[in-house]
Amino acid sequence: MADDADVIVVGGGLAGLVAATEIADAGKRVIVVDQEGEQSLGGQAFWSFGGLFLVDSPEQRRLGIKDSFDLALQDWMATAGFDRDDDRWPKRWAEAYVAFAAGEKRDWLRAMGHRIFPVVGWAERGGYDAMGHGNSVPRFHVTWGTGPGIVEPFERRAREAQNSGRLTFKFRHRVDALSISNGAVDGVSGSILEPSNVERGQSSSRKIVGDFTLRAPAVIVASGGIGGNHDLVRQNWPKRLGEPPKHMISGVPEHVDGRMIGITEAAGARLINRDRMWHYVEGIRNWSPIWPRHGIRILPGPSSMWFDATGKRLPAPLFPGSDTLGQLHYIMSTGYDYSWFVLTQSIIKKEFALSGSEQNPDLTGKSWRMTIKRATNKRAPAPVEAFKKHGADFIVRDNLEDLVAAMNALSGDNLLKLEHIKAQIEARDREMANPYVKDAQVMNIHNARRYIGDRLIRTAKPHRILDPEHGPLIAVKLNILTRKTLGGFETDLDSRVFGNDGQIIRGLYAAGEAAGFGGGGVHGYRSLEGTFLGGCLFSGRNAGRAAAKAV
Ligand SMILES: Cc1cc2nc3c(=O)[nH]c(=O)nc-3n(C[C@H](O)[C@H](O)[C@H](O)COP(=O)(O)OP(=O)(O)OC[C@H]3O[C@@H](n4cnc5c(N)ncnc54)[C@H](O)[C@@H]3O)c2cc1C
């Protein structure tokens, strides 16, 4: 049987698009199959904040940040905590990826028209020691145009390749099996789903109207992770984090269903680190949902006070923005799967960013006029104010008594005692009298404000939470929000997939979230943030180039 293409790419998300454009640019014929309609091209990346991990960039240097490959690798290794035999390839990927982030990543993107917002964010700040988890310096570079701005260059290249006949899209084609001949993967087969005109990101019908078979000497699996499938998340939930949460919300569309992972495993591919995942603890229910159980992650600045379900302040250094997995671990140990932020209007205005392209019309729409208002406005950005007004998890009150009563009513658990919360807030507020303090969170706030980027748009001027001048008071009920799959198919640096016998499966490649963003888990246990899109770029590029060369 004749081949339909040189390479088949399963998945039209960022990793798939990057791989496909590299293949087409190498002069080969490529087919991209995706179960969703054309309107969802770009997958999760379109919805993303577009944050990218870069090291020693001109943006960092302009802000006086001194970063280096050595510092970034130190942070990465401390954060990843690689400790398994299975971490052999993930570790090699990590070294290669940090070199990419410190090297050609920015210029490669820039040559395609990608641009970066000039204020670099400081995600996952850690708070342990220099060899502990976290970014020693700000490294989160937001794409000017957020998620759509990172998809755009690759979609443009893909459309050019489509026009020249080297790339073919097959939307509403769902792969159900990989075909194997003489031990080599040589194609895919699956179901044609009925046409769908749902809006981008909404769940589409799974009604089958036909079937298909496609042949090619190489297949790249770039089908994303499992975050939209809560059953799979619970099934793979690591014992070290206790029982899986009873209640979770979804930070990803329903097409992030993990189904293709099972299909690829059934073909003999070796899935490693399946118990490593990256879910957030600052999830809020979207009052205007696009996909089922749609949740939004708050990217918090450092000042909100954080209480567990029983009203106890989270221990140091589990402050907002410090250690996502440490917070998840702590929260699950309380026996409840939610927690609370308590803050003021002055804090929400400056410190609440919502992750997602649709929640940041200023950055997504590339509007300088709107973006500058982040620094100058009295109110929070419009989408944050909308959550304050309509969000089921937001409570706004003029005094603490009413606030705590409403928090108890919202959770229904009645665990919060006014005097207990009040004592903790007042103790923290007394630390405001001096510029030097005992309270580690307040110290953290002072430290953050030494970084000009934080002082400008991310960290409120220190003030008393109970100072009415900074009110009203706000409480936010925080849910666990599923997002990223850190484990995946074990691959070498050419993104070639290993089989269960430890040998490369000929013809099979994996990229993006399905490959644990490279190697089967380039992040180890934890992420420094902005590393997922970057992992799709790097692993997609490696897969595309290697597959094009091999065929
Ligand atoms: C709201 C949000 C904010 C984010 N912010 C950031 C950020 O700021 N920085 C960062 O680094 N990362 C961020 N991320 C994460 C990042 O966007 C994703 O990890 C990344 O885009 C995953 O890309 P992918 O190509 O691997 O998979 P996906 O985008 O999931 O694409 C996979 C594609 O494969 C298709 N598919 C699956 N199974 C099949 C099958 N059997 N047959 C055919 N097609 C199939 C799916 O329909 C989908 O189109 C964010 C994610 C979200 C949702």
Side-chain angles (χ1 to χ4, degrees):
M1 258 200 305
D3 287 332
D4 297 287
D6 295 311
V7 187
I8 294 165
V9 176
V10 183
L14 183 64
L17 275 177
V18 174
T21 51
E22 290 293 324
I23 294 160
D25 280 6
K28 307 287 170 161
R29 289 174 309 136
V30 56
I31 295 174
V32 179
V33 280
D34 201 297
Q35 61 191 353
E36 294 305 313
E38 186 157 10
Q39 64 274 38
S40 282
L41 184 63
Q44 296 178 62
F46 179 91
W47 298 107
S48 78
F49 198 38
L52 295 178
F53 176 87
L54 291 171
V55 177
D56 193 23
S57 69
E59 287 75 20
Q60 285 174 303
R61 276 180 251 138
R62 251 178 252 133
L63 294 163
I65 300 163
K66 295 190 176 56
D67 200 5
S68 65
F69 169 78
D70 288 340
L71 183 63
L73 192 64
Q74 166 189 316
D75 287 348
W76 192 292
M77 290 303 167
T79 294
F82 294 121
D83 62 356
R84 299 175 174 171
D85 291 344
D86 279 351
D87 285 329
R88 188 164 78 101
W89 284 103
K91 207 168 159 193
R92 290 186 64 179
W93 269 87
E95 284 156 2
Y97 177 67
V98 175
F100 175 63
E104 60 175 319
K105 181 175 175 184
R106 183 179 177 279
D107 289 346
W108 179 61
L109 288 171
R110 200 174 165 79
M112 285 181 252
H114 178 268
R115 292 292 179 273
I116 290 166
F117 179 62
V119 182
V120 182
W122 194 356
E124 292 294 300
R125 298 173 186 209
Y128 305 92
D129 61 30
M131 291 185 74
H133 166 70
N135 284 298
S136 298
V137 294
R139 297 194 174 107
F140 191 77
H141 296 66
V142 176
T143 296
W144 186 233
T146 69
I150 190 78
V151 173
E152 194 270 334
F154 299 98
E155 179 171 356
R156 183 169 18 91
R157 280 174 61 193
R159 295 292 182 196
E160 282 162 14
Q162 188 183 20
N163 291 338
S164 69
R166 286 196 306 280
L167 185 151
T168 307
F169 283 116
K170 292 204 177 286
F171 297 107
R172 303 297 282 159
H173 280 55
R174 187 186 70 189
V175 173
D176 298 331
L178 295 173
S179 54
I180 304 175
S181 306
N182 301 324
V185 170
D186 61 357
V188 298
S189 61
S191 312
I192 301 173
L193 305 175
E194 71 174 348
S196 168
N197 58 7
V198 296
E199 296 286 316
R200 180 194 278 276
Q202 288 181 346
S203 303
S204 62
S205 136
R206 287 293 178 260
K207 187 167 173 222
I208 296 168
V209 293
D211 53 32
F212 71 95
T213 305
L214 292 167
R215 288 177 58 88
V219 173
I220 300 177
V221 174
S223 55
I226 65 171
N229 183 336
H230 290 196
D231 290 340
L232 273 183
V233 169
R234 289 198 176 93
Q235 224 169 291
N236 290 298
W237 192 263
K239 286 218 164 47
R240 61 184 178 278
L241 288 177
E243 286 297 306
K246 288 192 187 68
H247 169 75
M248 292 187 284
I249 55 179
S250 277
V252 296
E254 205 172 24
H255 67 67
V256 190
D257 57 19
R259 195 173 160 272
M260 189 66 205
I261 293 187
I263 291 165
T264 312
E265 255 194 301
R270 184 158 188 263
L271 186 70
I272 57 174
N273 298 316
R274 63 172 86 222
D275 63 333
R276 292 179 182 165
M277 309 173 209
W278 192 244
H279 304 310
Y280 294 106
V281 285
E282 315 95 333
I284 47 176
R285 288 170 283 169
N286 194 347
W287 60 273
S288 176
I290 296 164
W291 54 76
R293 302 177 279 202
H294 189 172
I296 300 290
R297 184 205 174 193
I298 301 168
L299 296 157
S303 306
S304 298
M305 288 190 76
W306 202 336
F307 297 95
D308 67 23
T310 70
K312 191 165 158 255
R313 201 171 162 197
L314 262 62
L318 303 181
F319 314 124
S322 62
D323 175 6
T324 293
L325 208 70
Q327 284 142 359
L328 180 58
H329 188 224
Y330 174 82
I331 289 165
M332 292 314 298
S333 77
T334 65
Y336 299 89
D337 45 25
Y338 65 91
S339 61
W340 297 97
F341 275 166
V342 172
L343 62 153
T344 62
Q345 175 63 24
S346 298
I347 295 174
I348 202 169
K349 165 184 121 56
K350 198 144 181 179
E351 298 198 5
F352 266 37
L354 302 174
S355 183
S357 51
E358 83 289 6
Q359 299 296 335
N360 295 277
D362 49 357
L363 295 163
T364 304
K366 304 185 184 178
S367 164
W368 281 112
R369 195 178 53 79
M370 279 168 77
T371 305
I372 285 164
K373 283 193 180 157
R374 284 188 185 231
T376 57
N377 242 12
K378 270 219 146 28
R379 290 159 65 82
V384 177
E385 288 291 340
F387 261 95
K388 241 177 76 188
K389 196 163 165 203
H390 308 292
D393 295 311
F394 281 68
I395 301 167
V396 183
R397 294 289 187 277
D398 286 327
N399 64 72
L400 191 62
E401 192 176 349
D402 290 352
L403 192 83
V404 174
M407 289 162 78
N408 275 327
L410 178 58
S411 73
D413 290 329
N414 223 19
L415 297 167
L416 305 173
K417 303 271 174 292
L418 172 65
E419 287 314 314
H420 185 210
I421 303 275
K422 192 167 167 220
Q424 295 174 88
I425 300 180
E426 282 178 349
R428 176 260 183 217
D429 279 2
R430 282 186 201 106
E431 302 269 308
M432 288 295 134
N434 291 298
Y436 33 85
V437 287
K438 176 174 83 172
D439 186 287
Q441 184 177 8
V442 179
M443 240 182 257
N444 211 35
I445 296 169
H446 291 308
N447 185 43
R449 283 180 60 87
R450 285 199 210 111
Y451 165 51
I452 183 176
D454 263 21
R455 199 163 62 243
L456 275 175
I457 56 168
R458 276 305 261 160
T459 307
K461 213 165 160 195
H463 59 272
R464 289 187 299 113
I465 300 274
L466 295 179
D467 180 351
E469 289 285 300
H470 290 274
L473 285 167
I474 300 160
V476 188
K477 181 164 179 257
L478 305 171
N479 308 272
I480 292 168
L481 171 118
T482 62
R483 185 91 97 215
K484 285 123 186 173
T485 309
L486 298 187
F489 292 109
E490 183 180 27
T491 57
D492 70 0
L493 287 172
D494 281 339
S495 300
R496 298 184 301 168
V497 177
F498 288 95
N500 286 318
D501 58 0
Q503 302 299 312
I504 296 280
I505 301 180
R506 281 180 293 126
L508 185 62
Y509 299 74
E513 204 162 335
F517 302 95
V522 68
H523 295 93
Y525 288 91
R526 288 169 156 87
S527 161
L528 292 170
E529 287 290 348
T531 53
F532 308 101
L533 294 167
C536 291
L537 296 173
F538 190 54
S539 64
R541 200 177 76 153
N542 285 10
R545 289 181 181 177
K549 206 164 152 200
V551 292

